[in-house]
Amino acid sequence: MMEAEMAHTQTRVDRHRLLGLVVKTTATAIAALKTWQRTVSRRRAIADMTPDRLRDIGHAEAPAPVLEVKAGLVTNLMSMR
């Protein structure tokens, strides 16, 4: 009788642990989904803003490519011909 009670108690403990694991995993997945949704909505909102509005909220603009031409470059290139 004692072994049967211990087995039953162990089964209840195992089920409780499994249920706890499922709840924890589900909560983690829901939190990750909410974070992802917030990130996507922020990116969409920022993508729809004009450069002036982006500056107003303090969001840096994407860096534009810059071509730097040093003094005398054309002269050096012409002398290489």
Side-chain angles (χ1 to χ4, degrees):
M1 183 76 173
M2 184 72 144
E3 289 178 16
E5 287 178 17
M6 288 180 64
H8 179 68
T9 303
Q10 184 63 34
T11 303
R12 287 181 60 195
V13 169
D14 290 343
R15 285 184 187 164
H16 183 69
R17 285 184 185 160
L18 180 61
L19 180 62
L21 179 63
V22 169
V23 169
K24 184 178 179 181
T25 303
T26 304
T28 302
I30 290 170
L33 178 63
K34 285 182 178 181
T35 302
W36 176 77
Q37 286 176 329
R38 272 189 244 116
T39 302
V40 169
S41 67
R42 284 182 188 142
R43 286 181 184 167
R44 284 183 184 155
I46 287 174
D48 293 339
M49 289 183 164
T50 63
D52 291 332
R53 285 192 174 175
L54 287 172
R55 276 192 298 274
D56 287 345
I57 65 169
H59 194 276
E61 292 183 40
V66 177
L67 178 64
E68 292 183 27
V69 179
K70 294 182 181 179
L73 177 65
V74 175
T75 305
N76 287 340
L77 291 174
M78 293 298 286
S79 67
M80 289 179 175
R81 289 211 268 157

